[in-house]
């Protein structure tokens, strides 16, 4: 008996870092693709272009880029190995506006010697921005590779540090 074919939806959105292709299935958001990724992949012909299944992801990404959202609340469905999934779960725990090294991530998932494997899993994260692989830096504090390019990584970190550095209570006090 053959496995039923799963419907995959995709749509593009403009962002301050270029066009992002959002990809989802019935379980949740599967991918966020950059317009010019390090490892380009074509969009399969059987995927359906539709904005509705991706509307919530689009709104939350727009809020993120506007500095109005510091955490995503989306159903996610990344496909990966158990090790990759453990790394991606840990990436999601890095606080907004903060960074962590590959070594720190390896220790947090109880694989302290797996720094390179963590780097590889980080590089294969299908949900950049939403699962914040851009928050991972080298142990020396320097920016390291990023699927969207180092200028994009620098932009995302600067955006978060600028927003995280604002005193939201002081900003809201002037509204009263």
């Amino acid at each position: 008996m053959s496995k039923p074919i799963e419907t995959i939806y995709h749509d593009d959105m403009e962002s301050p870092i270029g066009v992002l292709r959002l990809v989802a299935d019935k379980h949740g958001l599967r991918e966020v693709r950059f317009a010019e990724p390090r490892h380009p992949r074509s969009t399969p012909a059987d995927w359906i272009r539709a904005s509705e299944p991706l509307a919530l992801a689009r709104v939350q990404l727009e809020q993120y880029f506007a500095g109005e959202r510091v955490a995503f609340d989306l159903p996610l469905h990344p496909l990966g190995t158990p090790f990759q999934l453990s790394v991606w779960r840990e990436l999601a725990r890095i606080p907004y506006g903060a960074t962590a090294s590959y070594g720190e991530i390896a220790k947090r998932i109880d694989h302290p010697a797996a720094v390179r494997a963590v780097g590889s899993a980080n590089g294969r994260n299908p949900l950049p921005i939403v699962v914040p692989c851009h928050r991972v830096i080298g142990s020396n504090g320097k920016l390291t590779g990023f699927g969207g390019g180092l200028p994009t990584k620098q932009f995302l970190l600067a955006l978060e540090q600028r927003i995280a550095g604002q005193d939201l209570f002081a900003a809201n006090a002037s509204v009263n």
Side-chain angles (χ1 to χ4, degrees), residues 36-115:
E36 296 181 25
R38 280 192 328 204
H39 308 290
R41 294 172 297 169
S42 61
T43 300
D46 60 341
W47 287 11
I48 298 169
R49 181 180 287 274
S51 59
E52 183 55 35
L54 295 152
L56 182 59
R58 175 190 303 273
V59 166
Q60 290 193 17
L61 280 162
E62 288 169 348
Q63 292 169 337
Y64 169 84
F65 286 117
E68 300 166 355
R69 174 171 290 280
V70 298
F72 292 91
D73 184 18
L74 296 167
L76 304 178
H77 191 222
L79 303 179
T81 67
F83 180 81
Q84 288 171 330
L85 292 169
S86 72
V87 170
W88 301 338
R89 273 191 293 277
E90 195 56 44
L91 296 178
R93 293 184 180 107
I94 302 171
Y96 182 91
T99 58
S101 71
Y102 296 99
E104 290 169 336
I105 299 296
K107 288 175 190 165
R108 290 180 195 172
I109 63 167
D110 294 324
H111 291 283
V115 175

Side-chain angles (χ1 to χ4, degrees), residues 166-176:
Q166 292 179 357
D167 184 345
L168 297 178
F169 293 106
N172 289 331
S174 62
V175 175
N176 293 335

Side-chain angles (χ1 to χ4, degrees), residues 9-22:
Y9 302 98
H10 72 96
D11 199 21
D12 294 341
M13 71 172 280
E14 293 289 334
S15 82
I17 57 172
V19 175
L20 299 175
R21 173 151 297 160
L22 309 179

